[in-house]
């Protein structure tokens, strides 16, 4: 099933244009240039201080509800097709680091002993974000909302598996314009398959975030799927991770990971079952940056191409095994009716081999961030900046912050 195209969509008196990747990048980079860095004091807050001084006081622009664009290919160009809500304070380039990362870790199963108060704060923040995003969408012109719904322009919000029940119980006005992404931060709760089915029935889409293989899965692939009882080929036994320019490990494969390929295949099976009762259900499989490094040879770091090329030359068998795992997973997702999103900025040449190996991916491949990378824009600016009707979406003026 191909993605619906925004190009030339007309609803009522509205002519809804889908901004091209270059236009979106120009707009977001223009805004980012007006942003200052996050305060060092905020970046150094401990998790409880971060909740009290930043989240509860709504210290961030739009209370932290910023949008990153995702793109799908239309002919020879890439067009805006959806948004993902990312947390930002004042800096369009990233979260307050390490305070926000430490908060999420302490509030989830990423920690060996999650803090119960922080876990509650994390869930409440996610729910409040969804309701704020929904309220801003409700303020858009009704014909613009109709155009977005017709074109499938959804706004995705991140929830952990253990936050999903609360998300399903939270009332929203525009569920068909909202979508959820299941993040990897929490372990799988009981009844997850049933909750996923509810999510596909309620929201515009429900997707799986940050999928990547484990070292154990790669070793099994090298053994020909025969399990760990055999003897590993010398190439796998000699595996060393890629290196950054200073010689430190870069994107090393983990032995265990919650959103591994086995977990992704169970998600796909749940989606297939849900489509039996909800044929309109939508889902994307999102491949983590680390997976994209091994699959495409490109990540976020400026040295990623050189590092991955050198690694592939040293480990051709392991590289081929990871590509084989990736192609097989992508085919499985496409057969189920899903789309596939690569969470890196890539060039068409980077995916030409993948499209040749999986021709069905044409029209169902998404890229996250595109030319604007990890930059995001406050949700309250998105309508004027990128969703204006007409044939041209010109960048608005932004005042320095």
């Amino acid at each position: 099933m191909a993605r619906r195209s925004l190009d030339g969509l007309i609803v009522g008196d509205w002519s809804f244009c889908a901004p091209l990747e270059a236009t979106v990048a120009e707009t977001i980079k223009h805004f980012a240039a007006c942003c200052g860095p996050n305060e060092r004091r905020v970046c150094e807050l401990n998790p409880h201080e971060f909740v009290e001084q930043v989240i509860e006081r709504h210290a961030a622009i739009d209370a932290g509800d910023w949008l990153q664009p995702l793109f799908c290919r239309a002919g020879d160009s890439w067009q805006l097709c959806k948004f993902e809500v990312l947390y930002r304070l004042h800096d369009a380039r990233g979260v307050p680091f390490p305070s926000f990362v430490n908060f999420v870790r302490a509030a989830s199963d990423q920690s060996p002993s999650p803090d119960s108060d922080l876990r509650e704060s994390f869930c409440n923040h996610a729910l409040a974000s969804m309701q704020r995003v929904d309220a801003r969408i409700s303020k858009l012109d009704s014909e613009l909302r109709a155009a977005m719904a017709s074109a499938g322009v959804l706004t995705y919000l991140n929830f952990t598996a253990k936050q999903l029940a609360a998300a399903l119980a939270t009332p929203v006005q525009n569920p068909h314009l909202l979508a959820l992404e299941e993040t990897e931060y929490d372990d799988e709760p009981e009844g997850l398959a049933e909750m996923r089915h509810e999510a596909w029935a309620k929201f515009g889409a429900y997707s799986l975030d940050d999928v990547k293989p484990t070292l154990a899965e790669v070793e099994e692939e090298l053994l020909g799927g025969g399990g760990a009882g055999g003897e590993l080929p010398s190439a796998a036994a000699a595996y060393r991770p890629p290196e950054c320019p200073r010689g430190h490990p870069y994107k090393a494969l983990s032995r265990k990971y919650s959103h591994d390929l086995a977990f992704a295949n169970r998600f796909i099976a749940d989606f297939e079952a849900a489509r039996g009762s909800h044929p309109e259900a939508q889902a994307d499989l999102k491949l983590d940056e680390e997976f994209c490094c091994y699959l495409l040879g490109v990540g976020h770091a400026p040295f990623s191409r050189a590092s991955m090329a050198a690694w592939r030359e040293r480990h051709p068998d392991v590289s081929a095994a990871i590509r084989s795992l990736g192609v097989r997973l992508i085919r499985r997702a496409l057969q189920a009716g899903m789309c596939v999103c690569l969470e890196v900025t890539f060039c068409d040449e980077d995916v030409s081999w993948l499209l040749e190996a999986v021709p069905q991916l044409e029209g169902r491949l998404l890229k996250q961030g595109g030319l604007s990378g990890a930059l995001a824009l406050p949700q309250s600016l998105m309508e004027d900046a990128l969703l204006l009707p007409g044939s041209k979406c010109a960048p608005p003026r932004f005042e320095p912050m």
Side-chain angles (χ1 to χ4, degrees):
M1 182 188 61
R3 281 280 176 195
R4 290 166 288 185
S5 173
L6 289 135
D7 196 26
L9 179 65
I10 299 176
V11 177
D13 295 329
W14 288 65
S15 175
F16 191 85
C17 73
L20 298 177
E21 180 183 10
T23 301
V24 175
E26 180 185 358
T27 299
I28 297 182
K29 287 178 180 179
H30 184 53
F31 173 80
C34 301
C35 298
N38 294 315
E39 294 181 56
R40 182 169 182 175
R41 177 192 65 82
V42 174
C43 294
E44 294 175 348
L45 295 174
N46 68 44
H48 286 280
E49 291 171 338
F50 188 81
V51 171
E52 295 166 2
Q53 299 181 35
V54 180
I55 293 180
E56 292 182 351
R57 294 183 186 177
H58 300 287
I61 296 173
D62 281 1
D65 308 324
W66 293 45
L67 303 184
Q68 183 183 37
L70 282 81
F71 302 91
C72 59
R73 190 155 71 173
D76 295 330
S77 61
W78 291 84
Q79 292 182 329
L80 175 72
C81 65
K82 63 177 66 175
F83 301 106
E84 179 178 348
V85 178
L86 301 180
Y87 187 84
R88 295 288 186 268
L89 186 63
H90 301 111
D91 191 344
R93 294 167 293 184
V95 300
F97 182 83
S99 56
F100 181 79
V101 173
N102 291 340
F103 160 62
V104 171
R105 182 182 295 116
S108 68
D109 290 332
Q110 297 292 295
S111 167
S113 54
D115 184 295
S116 58
D117 291 337
L118 291 175
R119 186 185 283 279
E120 182 179 3
S121 296
F122 185 24
C123 184
N124 289 340
H125 166 69
L127 297 173
S129 176
M130 180 171 69
Q131 291 187 305
R132 289 191 300 265
V133 168
D134 179 54
R136 295 188 192 103
I137 290 175
S138 292
K139 293 178 181 178
L140 298 176
D141 185 277
S142 59
E143 290 189 332
L144 176 57
R145 291 200 307 273
M148 293 170 65
S150 296
V153 181
L154 306 177
T155 300
Y156 282 69
L157 298 113
N158 288 287
F159 284 88
T160 75
K162 289 184 177 177
Q163 295 171 346
L164 180 53
L168 290 168
T170 301
V172 291
Q173 297 299 311
N174 304 282
H176 60 296
L177 288 173
L178 298 176
L180 305 187
E181 283 186 14
E182 184 181 311
T183 67
E184 75 279 14
Y185 301 120
D186 275 333
D187 297 336
E188 181 175 349
E190 185 177 350
L192 179 57
E194 290 76 12
M195 289 190 287
R196 287 170 173 169
H197 285 222
E198 290 184 49
W200 277 308
K202 177 176 179 177
F203 294 100
Y206 184 76
S207 299
L208 187 64
D209 196 22
D210 285 339
V211 173
K212 62 183 177 183
T214 62
L215 182 57
E217 289 175 319
V218 175
E219 289 173 349
E220 184 174 355
E221 179 71 11
L222 285 162
L223 287 166
E231 184 177 344
L232 281 174
S234 58
Y239 166 78
R240 294 291 183 273
E243 295 179 349
C244 64
R246 293 186 177 182
H248 300 300
Y250 174 67
K251 302 300 179 185
L253 293 172
S254 303
R255 178 63 60 178
K256 293 178 61 179
Y257 177 65
S258 56
H259 283 194
D260 60 10
L261 304 193
F263 188 87
N265 276 298
R266 292 199 300 275
F267 181 90
I268 295 171
D270 285 344
F271 177 66
E272 289 175 316
R275 274 209 153 178
S277 53
H278 304 291
E280 296 301 312
Q282 301 287 328
D284 299 331
L285 196 67
K286 303 189 71 176
L287 306 191
D288 170 84
E289 182 209 355
E290 185 175 301
F291 198 176
C292 292
C293 280
Y294 287 95
L295 195 63
L296 305 181
V298 59
H300 298 321
F303 59 79
S304 62
R305 289 181 183 273
S307 292
M308 295 311 303
W311 176 86
R312 180 172 290 128
E313 186 175 345
R314 294 194 304 269
H315 299 275
D317 293 344
V318 181
S319 175
I322 296 174
R323 282 195 167 191
S324 178
L325 286 168
V327 166
R328 197 155 63 243
L329 180 69
I330 289 170
R331 283 178 177 152
R332 174 88 173 85
L334 295 176
Q335 288 168 0
M338 299 171 67
C339 291
V340 175
C341 177
L342 304 179
E343 297 188 290
V344 292
T345 297
F346 58 85
C347 304
D348 288 354
E349 294 78 14
D350 296 322
V351 296
S352 59
W353 73 269
L354 185 57
L355 290 166
E356 289 178 8
V358 191
Q360 305 91 327
L361 191 56
E362 189 68 56
R364 295 163 71 181
L365 176 64
L366 311 178
K367 70 163 78 170
Q368 184 154 342
L371 294 173
S372 51
L375 299 179
L377 192 68
Q379 188 198 6
S380 60
L381 297 179
M382 195 59 74
E383 178 185 9
D384 288 341
L386 298 175
L387 296 180
L388 288 172
S391 59
K392 184 178 181 181
C393 302
R397 293 183 177 273
F398 296 115
E399 297 298 329
M401 302 175 63

